[in-house]
Amino acid sequence: MDEKNIVAVEARDLAKQFGKVDAVKGATFSVLEGEIFGFLGPNGAGKTTIINMLTGLARPDKGQISYSGHDYTKNIKKAQHLMGIVPDESNLYPELTGFENLCFCASLYGIVKREREKRARELLDSFGLAQAANRKFGGYSRGMKRRLTIAAGVIHQPRILFLDEPTSGIDIANARQIRKLISSLKTSGTTVFLTTHYIEEAERLCDRIAFIVDGRVVRTEVTTDLLRDVQGQHIIELAVSEDLKRFPEGISEEFGDLAFDMPSSNTLRAIAESRFPLGPLVRFLEERNINITEARSIRPSLEDVFVQITGIESDRMKTEKERKDKQ
């Protein structure tokens, strides 16, 4: 088998119910060795629940979990030496220094003192935290905490790293640093499984993406192939002066060769397979007292693919991102 196609993790028909709520509904996917694999979906879609099942923090009601071709469904703990886990909230100790936290995590994996201290110093340096090594973790900034938590997740050099919302609530500068760290982990040979509801993050980082909605994996694809689906499209985005509660009446009939989308209540997109004249569309809207404040051509992105596949409008994802950033 081609090394690039070796399966690191495979899930088949995973399902999990909490009370009467079906959190995960028959999820099937595989993660290849050496790739960055992304789970993209809104909050509540089942991303964290799936990570918890894959890492042994939750037991699936049904389904199968395999690592490197071996079935670990009934005893995930036997596979935990293969994985590093970075939850969406830090699990490190505020009263310990950064160096002490890393050494403690290393000791849990049976790494001898001399080796764990060496490994801790190396990670502190490569993660840009060397100067904060002897400061208590509780005094770190949010971005520094996130970086140290990721360092703790790879202290034992796992074959696969699980990252749950790695840049959630992090400022732009720290988010950029963390993305660079994630890319460097892939370069060093670590397989990365990350969940996110930041569409632009998935587009920048991931080799393959699985879209998850309401507990179901609705599509898994190589990121470049997903983008290729929309690369031939021509999209004009129109900003209007008032909120639109629905598509202007008769617009689809008048412009049958165009498709329309409303990313937000004051934005209308016209989509076509080839370039089209804008004047007739603007006149049509102005005749219906819909004033255009801006018109621009936009490059199709993963956001457009996500909306097409899931039916979830992008403003919902952006609202969730803004809410998480403020927490």
Side-chain angles (χ1 to χ4, degrees):
M1 182 182 292
D2 189 331
E3 185 178 351
K4 292 183 179 179
N5 294 322
I6 296 175
V7 175
V9 186
E10 185 174 26
R12 290 187 176 274
D13 298 319
L14 285 187
K16 183 67 178 177
Q17 189 175 49
F18 296 103
K20 295 182 179 180
V21 177
D22 291 318
V24 180
K25 308 169 185 175
T28 296
F29 58 90
S30 61
V31 182
L32 305 180
E33 282 193 5
E35 74 173 344
I36 299 179
F37 181 85
F39 248 27
L40 178 61
N43 286 335
K47 303 188 299 294
T48 297
T49 301
I50 288 175
I51 276 193
N52 287 344
M53 287 191 285
L54 293 176
T55 57
L57 297 177
R59 186 184 297 274
D61 295 331
K62 60 174 291 190
Q64 181 180 354
I65 299 171
S66 300
Y67 282 87
S68 300
H70 301 285
D71 186 353
Y72 288 98
T73 311
K74 294 182 179 179
N75 194 350
I76 296 294
K77 290 187 182 299
K78 287 186 176 180
Q80 286 183 338
H81 66 286
L82 300 172
M83 63 182 81
I85 305 168
V86 181
D88 59 348
E89 294 293 336
S90 175
N91 55 357
L92 300 182
Y93 296 94
E95 68 274 15
L96 298 182
T97 67
F99 178 73
E100 290 168 341
N101 263 297
L102 293 185
C103 288
F104 176 74
C105 291
S107 70
L108 298 177
Y109 291 98
I111 301 174
V112 298
K113 182 178 179 181
R114 183 175 179 179
E115 181 60 29
R116 64 181 178 243
E117 289 182 351
K118 177 185 175 185
R119 177 75 175 147
R121 291 191 182 95
E122 289 174 348
L123 287 172
L124 287 163
D125 185 57
S126 61
F127 279 53
L129 294 169
Q131 292 185 338
N134 297 318
R135 286 170 49 191
K136 289 186 177 181
F137 179 71
Y140 279 20
S141 69
R142 194 162 189 169
M144 292 168 64
K145 286 180 178 178
R146 200 66 179 148
R147 279 182 277 152
L148 192 74
T149 305
I150 295 174
V154 297
I155 189 75
H156 58 302
Q157 297 178 301
R159 291 172 61 179
I160 179 168
L161 179 66
F162 291 93
L163 291 170
D164 197 4
E165 301 284 357
T167 61
S168 179
I170 302 300
D171 62 69
I172 293 173
N174 274 294
R176 187 179 296 114
Q177 283 184 308
I178 289 171
R179 291 189 186 108
K180 287 182 179 179
L181 289 172
I182 294 171
S183 295
S184 69
L185 289 171
K186 176 194 170 181
T187 302
S188 68
T190 304
T191 301
V192 179
F193 182 117
L194 68 86
T195 72
T196 184
H197 61 269
Y198 296 1
I199 294 175
E200 69 276 14
E201 180 165 88
E203 185 172 352
R204 290 177 185 176
L205 282 176
C206 299
D207 300 300
R208 288 194 306 137
I209 292 171
F211 292 132
I212 180 168
V213 180
D214 295 330
R216 299 185 188 278
V217 177
V218 296
R219 185 171 174 182
T220 304
E221 193 73 75
V222 174
T223 307
T224 52
D225 290 345
L226 285 168
L227 292 169
R228 193 175 297 123
D229 290 346
V230 294
Q231 286 306 311
Q233 293 182 345
H234 294 268
I235 303 176
I236 297 295
E237 185 171 273
L238 303 171
V240 299
S241 57
E242 65 281 332
D243 286 347
L244 298 174
K245 294 191 169 32
R246 62 182 67 87
F247 287 111
E249 187 174 349
I251 193 169
S252 295
E253 292 77 11
E254 181 71 18
F255 301 94
D257 54 343
L258 302 181
F260 293 94
D261 178 34
M262 286 177 57
S264 67
S265 59
N266 60 357
T267 306
L268 180 68
R269 285 183 180 178
I271 306 164
E273 296 302 320
S274 58
R275 296 187 181 279
F276 56 92
L278 184 59
L281 178 58
V282 171
R283 286 193 295 273
F284 176 89
L285 295 171
E286 290 180 342
E287 287 170 0
R288 286 153 182 78
N289 297 317
I290 299 173
N291 296 316
I292 310 299
T293 59
E294 182 184 7
R296 64 189 180 100
S297 176
I298 64 171
R299 181 183 70 87
S301 67
L302 186 61
E303 182 177 314
D304 300 292
V305 181
F306 182 81
V307 172
Q308 285 181 11
I309 292 174
T310 67
I312 296 175
E313 298 297 338
S314 58
D315 58 342
R316 173 180 165 188
M317 298 283 280
K318 289 175 181 175
T319 298
E320 291 177 353
K321 177 182 184 296
E322 290 167 359
R323 185 173 64 248
K324 291 280 284 187
D325 287 347
K326 291 177 181 178
Q327 291 177 353

